[in-house]
C-alpha cells in the first residue's frame, strides 16, 4: 500500500512520495522516528502514559533516550476511508513552513507500514480544557492575568496563520482541548489535522463539515462555506469559555441544552455581562470587572451571525491590547447552530460518521 506522504530528518534521504510534493515540502529539521523507538519511549503506549484522546487517535507522554520529554500522537488510520491518513498529511504539510511562539512545535514523525505517529513538544500544563475546566481546584490557578495572556496568545497565533502565512491557513477546530499550555501557561494552538489552506484570499467550500458542536460558525456548519471568519467565530466561543469557566454546552434537565453563546447574548441584552465572569476567588481582577467585560464584548463581536461583521484576528489582538476601542463597534445578534440536523454533511457521510464532535473537554489534542 502506498502512502502519499513521507517525512524525513535532515540526515536521511527522502523516501519516494508517489508523486506528491508534500514530502519535498517537509521542514528539514523534522526528525524521523522509528516505531520501536516511540514504543519504548511511551512504555509500549501504556495507559499510565496516556495524556489525551483526540478525534483521530490518542496522545502519550514519552521519554526519548536523550531524556527529552515529548508528546506522541498515535493516529488511527482507517484503511477504507483513509481518514487518519488525511489528518496526518494535513498536519505535517501545515508544519512544513510555519513557526510561531503560540503554535505547537513539531519534533518529528513516524511512517512505518500502517503506523502514523506525530511527535510534539510536551506541554506541562496539558490543555486549556483539562486545566481550566478540569475542576475548581485547577480553575483557581487561572488569574485574570493568566487568562488574558492565554487569550492574547491564541489570538496572535491565529492572526499569524490567517494573515502572515501564505497561503493562509484556517484551523477549523479551535477549541479549549486544542489549546495546550506550557510550564509558564503560554498557549500553543495544536492539532492541525482538520486545517485547510486558503489561496489568494478565497474561501473554501467543504463537502464535509468538520469541527466541534458549540464552536462551529453557522455559515460553515450549514453551507460548508469556510473562511478565516469561521475560526474567528470559534475563537469568540473560546474567549467566553475562558473568562466564564463554563462549558460551551450545558445540559439542564429542566431547561434542556443551553449554549454559552446564548447565555452571553442574554447577559449582554440585560446589560449584565459581568454575571458571566468566573466567580472563582483566584481570578483576582486587578482592574475590577471592566476589563473582563470588555473581553466578553469582543467574544460577542467574534460570534456575530453575519461573518463579515466579525473582526479579523489581528484586529481582535488590538482590541485586547487596547489599541482599538471595542466600544466603537456595534454588536449584532450572534449565530448559533443548535440543531445537528442543520449541519451540512457530505453525500458519503452520515451523522454517525461525520467529523462533528460534541463539545467535550477531551484533553491534549
Amino acid at each position: 500500500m502506498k502512502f502519499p506522504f513521507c517525512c524525513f530528518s535532515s540526515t536521511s534521504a527522502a523516501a519516494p512520495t508517489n508523486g506528491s510534493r508534500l514530502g519535498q515540502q517537509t521542514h528539514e529539521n523534522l526528525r524521523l522516528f522509528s516505531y520501536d523507538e516511540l514504543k519504548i519511549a511511551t512504555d509500549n503506549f501504556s495507559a499510565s502514559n496516556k495524556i489525551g484522546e483526540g478525534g483521530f487517535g490518542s496522545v502519550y507522554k514519552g521519554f526519548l533516550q536523550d531524556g527529552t520529554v515529548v508528546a506522541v500522537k498515535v493516529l488511527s488510520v482507517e484503511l477504507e476511508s483513509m481518514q487518519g491518513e488525511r489528518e496526518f498529511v494535513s498536519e505535517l504539510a501545515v508544519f512544513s513552513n510555519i513557526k510561531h511562539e503560540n503554535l505547537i512545535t513539531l519534533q518529528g514523525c513516524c511512517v512505518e507500514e500502517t503506523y502514523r505517529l506525530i511527535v510534539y513538544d510536551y506541554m506541562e500544563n496539558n490543555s486549556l480544557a483539562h486545566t481550566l475546566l478540569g475542576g475548581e481546584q485547577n480553575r483557581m490557578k487561572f488569574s485574570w492575568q493568566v487568562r488574558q495572556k492565554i487569550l492574547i496568545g491564541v489570538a496572535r497565533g491565529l492572526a499569524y496563520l490567517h494573515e502572515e502565512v501564505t497561503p493562509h491557513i484556517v484551523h477549523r477546530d479551535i477549541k479549549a482541548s486544542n489549546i495546550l499550555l506550557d510550564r509558564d501557561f503560554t498557549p500553543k494552538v495544536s492539532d492541525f489535522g482538520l486545517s485547510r489552506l486558503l489561496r489568494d484570499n478565497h474561501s473554501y467550500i467543504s463537502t464535509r463539515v468538520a469541527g466541534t458542536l458549540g464552536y462551529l460558525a453557522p455559515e460553515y456548519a450549514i453551507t460548508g462555506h469556510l473562511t478565516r471568519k469561521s475560526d474567528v467565530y470559534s475563537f469568540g466561543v473560546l474567549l467566553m469559555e475562558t473568562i466564564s469557566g463554563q462549558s460551551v454546552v450545558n445540559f439542564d434537565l429542566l431547561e434542556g441544552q443551553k449554549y454559552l453563546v446564548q447565555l452571553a447574548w442574554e447577559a449582554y441584552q440585560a446589560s449584565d455581562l459581568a454575571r458571566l465572569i468566573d466567580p472563582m476567588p483566584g481570578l483576582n481582577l486587578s482592574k475590577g470587572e471592566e476589563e473582563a467585560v470588555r473581553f466578553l464584548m469582543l467574544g460577542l463581536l467574534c460570534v456575530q451571525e453575519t461573518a463579515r461583521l466579525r473582526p479579523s484576528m489581528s484586529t481582535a489582538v488590538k482590541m485586547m491590547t487596547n489599541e482599538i476601542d471595542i466600544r466603537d463597534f456595534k454588536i449584532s445578534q450572534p449565530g448559533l447552530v443548535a440543531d445537528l440536523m442543520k449541519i451540512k454533511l457530505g453525500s458519503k457521510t452520515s451523522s454517525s460518521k461525520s467529523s462533528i464532535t460534541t463539545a467535550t473537554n477531551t484533553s491534549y489534542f
Side-chain angles (χ1 to χ4, degrees), residues 85-249:
E85 181 75 9
R86 282 196 295 268
E87 270 59 51
F88 179 80
V89 170
S90 177
E91 188 140 3
L92 293 179
V94 165
F95 277 104
S96 67
N97 66 344
I98 66 171
K99 189 171 182 63
H100 189 275
E101 178 190 9
N102 298 117
L103 303 181
I104 192 68
T105 301
L106 191 67
Q107 290 206 11
C109 63
C110 170
V111 184
E112 277 187 27
E113 299 177 356
T114 59
Y115 297 122
R116 297 293 178 269
L117 297 88
I118 305 177
V119 182
Y120 304 88
D121 282 353
Y122 176 71
M123 296 289 109
E124 289 82 356
N125 280 304
N126 207 292
S127 72
L128 183 60
H130 175 85
T131 311
L132 174 63
L133 304 174
E136 290 191 0
Q137 194 168 15
N138 282 340
R139 278 166 60 200
M140 290 186 69
K141 301 175 186 177
F142 287 81
S143 66
W144 166 245
Q145 289 74 22
V146 169
R147 298 185 201 214
Q148 187 179 42
K149 171 184 177 179
I150 289 169
L151 290 169
I152 293 175
V154 173
R156 283 177 171 153
L158 286 175
Y160 170 77
L161 294 172
H162 288 184
E163 301 167 39
E164 297 180 42
V165 174
T166 304
H168 304 310
I169 298 171
V170 178
H171 186 281
R172 264 211 313 177
D173 199 19
I174 293 299
K175 59 183 177 181
S177 58
N178 283 340
I179 307 302
L180 305 184
L181 304 172
D182 70 7
R183 180 180 301 143
D184 301 317
F185 289 92
T186 299
K188 311 283 183 178
V189 179
S190 73
D191 201 341
F192 288 79
L194 297 177
S195 63
R196 288 291 179 268
L197 305 182
L198 296 184
R199 301 182 185 277
D200 303 322
N201 292 322
H202 292 168
S203 60
Y204 176 87
I205 303 298
S206 176
T207 57
R208 186 175 58 91
V209 170
T212 302
L213 188 63
Y215 293 93
L216 280 173
E219 74 283 353
Y220 170 53
I222 296 170
T223 70
H225 188 216
L226 178 70
T227 69
R228 287 171 285 182
K229 294 299 180 74
S230 306
D231 275 354
V232 174
Y233 182 96
S234 301
F235 174 76
V237 178
L238 178 77
L239 187 153
M240 297 175 191
E241 187 178 24
T242 303
I243 292 179
S244 68
Q246 297 185 41
S247 298
V248 174
V249 184

Side-chain angles (χ1 to χ4, degrees), residues 340-360:
L340 276 173
M341 298 304 293
K342 291 183 179 179
I343 294 176
K344 177 184 175 67
L345 299 176
S347 58
K348 293 184 179 180
T349 60
S350 66
S351 59
S352 62
K353 291 187 178 180
S354 71
S355 294
I356 304 298
T357 57
T358 54
T360 56

Side-chain angles (χ1 to χ4, degrees), residues 264-335:
W265 178 243
E266 290 167 6
Y268 175 73
Q269 288 186 305
S271 300
D272 190 18
L273 270 176
R275 75 187 188 207
L276 217 63
I277 299 171
D278 192 344
M280 289 301 295
L283 192 58
N284 295 327
L285 286 170
S286 58
K287 296 182 180 180
E289 297 176 345
E290 185 178 349
E291 238 182 333
V293 167
R294 189 167 57 83
F295 270 52
L296 288 170
M297 289 175 66
L298 171 58
L300 284 170
L301 281 174
C302 290
V303 299
Q304 292 176 104
E305 187 171 31
T306 304
R308 62 178 173 79
L309 296 179
R310 300 171 200 156
S312 66
M313 287 311 307
S314 60
T315 298
V317 171
K318 291 177 181 178
M319 288 178 170
M320 286 188 283
T321 55
N322 276 320
E323 296 174 65
I324 295 177
D325 192 344
I326 294 173
R327 290 176 174 82
D328 289 341
F329 294 80
K330 182 181 178 180
I331 299 174
S332 62
Q333 183 173 337

